[in-house]
Each structure stands twice: as structure tokens, then as C-alpha cells.
Amino acid sequence: MIKVRNLVKAFGTRVVLRNISFDIAPGEFITLLGVNGAGKTTLMSMVATLSKPTAGTIFIGDMDTREHAAYIRRYIGLVSHKTLLYDDLSGEQNLRFYARMYDVQNPSERIEKVLREVGLWGRQKDPVRTYSRGMQQRLAIARAILHNPPILLLDEPDTGLDQGATSMLGELLAAVGTAERTVLMTTHNLERGLSLGQRVLMLSDGKIAVDAPRDEVSVAELSRFYRQ
Amino acid sequence: MPQNLSSSISSDSVIAHRPPQFSYLRKVGAIAGKDIAAELRTKEMMSAMFVFSLLVIFIFNFAFDLRTDNANTLAPGVLWVAIAFAGMLGLGRSFITERDRGSLEGLLLAPVDRSAIYFGKFLGNVLFISVVEVVILPLFIVFFNQPLDIIVPLSGVVVLGTIGFAGVGTLFSAMVIHTRARDVLLPIMLFPVVVPVLLSAVRLTAGILDKLPFEDVQNWLGLLVAFDLIFLAVSYMMFEYVVEE
């Protein structure tokens, strides 16, 4: 599904990712860990086709993201700590806009379905600025799954959420990470990362320091990288 | 278009695998429509543009002590100063608000050629500036004692001038979003580049007010149309590189 080969990303003289390679199989839920500045968001951004690698390649299916970015984007949904929503529009208006951008068929039905899935049906006419942070993040998930993408990228989706909202978000993420959907999630919450992900990737010093099934790693072991 | 991706990533689950006809134009319309819907909710930008353009017309009208013998000399400049500076307020917010609110990535993630984003934003900007113009043109005619029959040719010049101004302004608005002094940088970058458009528009407006024969102003009309086309073509080609990281 996703193949990363010899990926390098540099900003000027600062090299963020150093020659990393890994594969993600269809339907896999991968947790990507690393300290701040480890390159998680940079990697996510390149997989999402928002930025280009300095060297190396990323394949989605067998398509190079450099050559077929516009085509690949319809297969990707992204949830980040930024909601990518318009505060002045209602939840429904936001989703209707994105439905048009992704050529979603029967948008009204689909919008109702995803809003019910994230528990926001009933508030769909309210401006997004009146939503709580947790509600906005649930709407961001609705936006990301609106076109039912087979690849879901979750970049620290629990940032800024309180305990209750984080718990609700975890349940929601577990629900959207079905067997048909490949998920790559970054988080600083090691327990949640291990509970949701089937496999763990740890970025350290621009390289992959750990690539293992979740059963083979522990929170204590992963915490060591955060203390270094 | 590549066809092998969908089969390799279980496309049955993908809702949007066959874009409808006119998908590109629909997305251009969606982006413009989204900006209009947001503006209708807040009315922040339009009210600022409207008030600013009115103030310019008022202030220049009194400051220049306009009389019948000098009105036609100064009026074209006053009109285009009002349009350009009010338009700048709108252009300044076009991409900056997307960036500040964190929604720009959402646009860039959409499965569409980047140029559709440019044209959607351009269309929205032209509409916003045009709404202001619809209000200030009649006021301009009243304040500067112009005959009503100039409204049709003047509207044509205003439309052409607006296209050129918004065309390059939309591109520059996207260019400055990654800079710190973007509010200051946009007018500093834009006005020198857009001089040919403003100059042509002012000359054409003066020609209309002075009732000059078409032959006397056709070169300015040609220049204005040419710069409109050049600016739109260059913006279309450059936009993808401008919004790269």
C-alpha cells in the first residue's frame, strides 16, 4: 500500500529524515512515534503529497507521489492538530465544500452518515467556531473520512484535547481504522499509540530506530527514546 | 490518467473514484462559493472594502476642490485609487486567512490541479471587488458630475482592470503567506507589477470621461487586455510552485 524508499528530507542544511525506508501493508494501523522535531510531521506531509522529498521515493500503491500527486490525493484522508476547517462556516457547509472538492457522490447522504458517525448530527447547522475543541476534531475526522479514503493519516490528532475528548477520539479512531483502511498515526501518547497501532515505528535522529509489532515493544522501552 | 492505483488499494471503498464531468470547473466554483459563503456570514472584508472605497471618493472629492474644468483630469485617478486600495484589502485576506486559520492544507490536499485553487480564489476576489465597484461607480458619477451614459463603457473598463488587478494580486497573495511581514509586503510587491493595468485603466477611463474617439484609446485597451491575459497565464503557470512548501 505505502512504500517509502531511501527517503531524505532536508530544509536547507538541516537534514530531518536520513535515508529511511519502510513498507505499510493494506489495512495496517501503524503508530509513528518520536520526540518533537524527529520528523514525524515532515514524513506525514510527504506521504500526504503536501511536500516533496529531497531524495528517495514514496509509492502509494505503485504510484510515485511526485508524479501522480493530484491523483493520489483522492485516496488519502488527513487529520492533523490543525482541523483544516473554516470557522465561519457550519459543519455541514464545511463538509459540503470538501464533498465537492473530492467529487463525492450523493453528498447529502454521505454528509449525514459521517456526521452521525462522529456524533455531530444535530449540530451540523452551527458555525464551527461555536464547537468545542473536541467537537472540531471530530468534525475534522468526518472531513477526512468523507470520501472514504483507503489511507488515513493522523498527525497528533489528540493535541489540545482534554481527557474526555481524547478518550472519545480514541474510540472514534479505533472505529475508523477498519481492516479496509490503512492508517498511519503519529502521537506522543505511547499507551494510546500501542493500543491502536498494530505496528510501531519510532523515528530518532532522522532514522527509524524501532520498527516492530506492538506485541514486541513496551511503553517503558519506547519511553527510553523520549528520555535520551 | 493512471488507472492501476485504484485496483491496488481496494478502490471499492473509495466513494470518489470517477470525477464527474466538468470536475475542474466545479472545484473552481466550490472554492469561490466557499469564500463567498464565509464572507456572507462575517461581512468583515466587504464592509472594510466598501467603507474604504467610499472614504477615498469622499476625501479626494473634497481635498482636490473639484471644479468642472478639472474634474475630468483627476476623476479617473481617484476612481482607480479607490478600486486598487479597496481591492488590496480583499486580496490581502485571500490566502492569508487560509494560512492563519490552518485551512490552506485542506485546499492543497484536494485531488485537483493546483491551478483550480488559484482560479477559485481569483474568481472570489473578482466578485468581491466587483460588488464594491457596483456601489462606488454610481457614487463616482454623482460626486464627479458625470453623465449617466458613461456607465456602460466605464463598466467594461472596470471589469478589465479588475481582472488584471485581481489576477496578479491573487498570485502575490499566495506568494507572501510564508513571509512574516506579509501585510506590508503584498502592496509593495503588487503595485509596481500592476502599474501597466492601472495606467491603461486610468487612460481608458479618462478617454471615456473626455468622450475621446475610440481610435485615440484603442492602444490602451489593447494593452489592458494583453496584460490581463499575460497575468492570468503567468499566474496559472506559476501557482503550483508558489504554494509549494
Side-chain angles (χ1 to χ4, degrees), chain B residues 161-173:
Chain B
T162 303
I163 288 172
F165 183 74
V168 70
T170 303
L171 178 72
F172 280 28
S173 173

Side-chain angles (χ1 to χ4, degrees), chain B residues 108-135:
Chain B
L108 298 178
L109 271 172
V112 65
D113 191 277
R114 300 280 199 234
S115 61
I117 300 172
Y118 167 77
F119 282 118
K121 285 288 182 182
F122 163 73
L123 186 60
N125 287 330
V126 167
L127 286 172
F128 290 138
I129 298 172
S130 298
V131 169
V132 174
E133 290 165 347
V134 164
V135 177

Side-chain angles (χ1 to χ4, degrees), chain A:
Chain A
M1 173 65 84
I2 301 175
K3 292 178 198 161
V4 175
R5 292 287 176 272
N6 306 315
L7 192 68
V8 176
K9 183 67 179 180
F11 298 98
T13 56
R14 193 170 68 90
V15 182
V16 177
L17 296 173
R18 301 166 189 271
N19 204 32
I20 65 171
S21 300
F22 62 89
D23 290 352
I24 302 177
E28 250 191 321
F29 196 129
I30 303 287
T31 299
L32 181 63
L33 301 169
V35 298
N36 288 333
K40 304 185 296 299
T41 298
T42 301
L43 176 58
M44 282 288 204
S45 178
M46 286 189 287
V47 175
T49 75
L50 287 172
S51 68
K52 290 179 178 170
T54 306
T57 47
I58 300 172
F59 293 97
I60 306 289
D62 56 0
M63 310 297 299
D64 189 333
T65 54
R66 277 191 221 249
E67 294 169 18
H68 305 289
Y71 181 74
I72 286 170
R73 283 186 205 116
R74 71 179 62 251
Y75 294 94
I76 293 175
L78 173 70
V79 179
S80 73
H81 43 277
K82 290 184 283 188
T83 60
L84 315 186
L85 298 168
Y86 295 92
D87 293 352
D88 298 322
L89 301 182
S90 68
E92 185 179 1
Q93 281 178 312
N94 268 282
L95 295 189
R96 199 165 287 282
F97 167 64
Y98 280 107
R100 289 177 74 181
M101 295 305 290
Y102 283 87
D103 300 314
V104 172
Q105 292 158 15
N106 304 318
S108 297
E109 290 171 25
R110 180 64 185 163
I111 288 168
E112 181 177 343
K113 185 171 186 295
V114 295
L115 281 174
R116 287 188 188 281
E117 280 179 19
V118 300
L120 288 175
W121 187 252
R123 292 289 305 272
Q124 74 273 18
K125 301 286 185 193
D126 296 345
V128 169
R129 64 171 177 272
T130 66
Y131 290 12
S132 68
R133 171 79 180 117
M135 289 168 69
Q136 288 188 15
Q137 200 62 342
R138 280 190 276 152
L139 185 61
I141 292 173
R143 174 193 52 71
I145 62 173
L146 183 66
H147 56 296
N148 204 9
I151 299 171
L152 194 54
L153 305 175
L154 308 169
D155 187 12
E156 299 181 23
D158 47 7
T159 300
L161 298 183
D162 62 28
Q163 199 66 31
T166 304
S167 175
M168 189 181 287
L169 185 73
E171 291 168 20
L172 197 53
L173 294 180
V176 299
T178 62
E180 294 173 353
R181 189 169 280 143
T182 305
V183 181
L184 178 60
M185 180 179 78
T186 72
T187 182
H188 288 300
N189 187 327
L190 298 181
E191 288 84 2
R192 184 169 304 285
L194 283 180
S195 69
L196 287 171
Q198 298 160 344
R199 196 171 120 219
V200 173
L201 292 176
M202 168 70 82
L203 281 176
S204 178
D205 199 22
K207 295 177 181 173
I208 294 181
V210 176
D211 181 354
R214 68 173 167 196
D215 299 335
E216 296 178 12
V217 289
S218 66
V219 171
E221 195 178 341
L222 294 172
S223 298
R224 190 165 51 83
F225 287 94
Y226 283 82
R227 288 194 297 269
Q228 283 176 350

Side-chain angles (χ1 to χ4, degrees), chain B residues 96-158:
Chain B
I96 290 171
T97 48
E98 296 275 1
R99 167 89 174 171
D100 289 347
R101 294 175 183 177
S103 49
L104 184 62
E105 281 183 6
L107 278 183
L108 298 178
L109 271 172
V112 65
D113 191 277
R114 300 280 199 234
S115 61
I117 300 172
Y118 167 77
F119 282 118
K121 285 288 182 182
F122 163 73
L123 186 60
N125 287 330
V126 167
L127 286 172
F128 290 138
I129 298 172
S130 298
V131 169
V132 174
E133 290 165 347
V134 164
V135 177
I136 64 169
L137 275 186
L139 291 173
F140 170 78
I141 288 171
V142 170
F143 278 115
F144 291 88
N145 295 316
Q146 298 298 326
L148 273 177
D149 61 356
I150 65 164
I151 195 83
V152 174
L154 190 56
S155 299
V157 172
V158 164

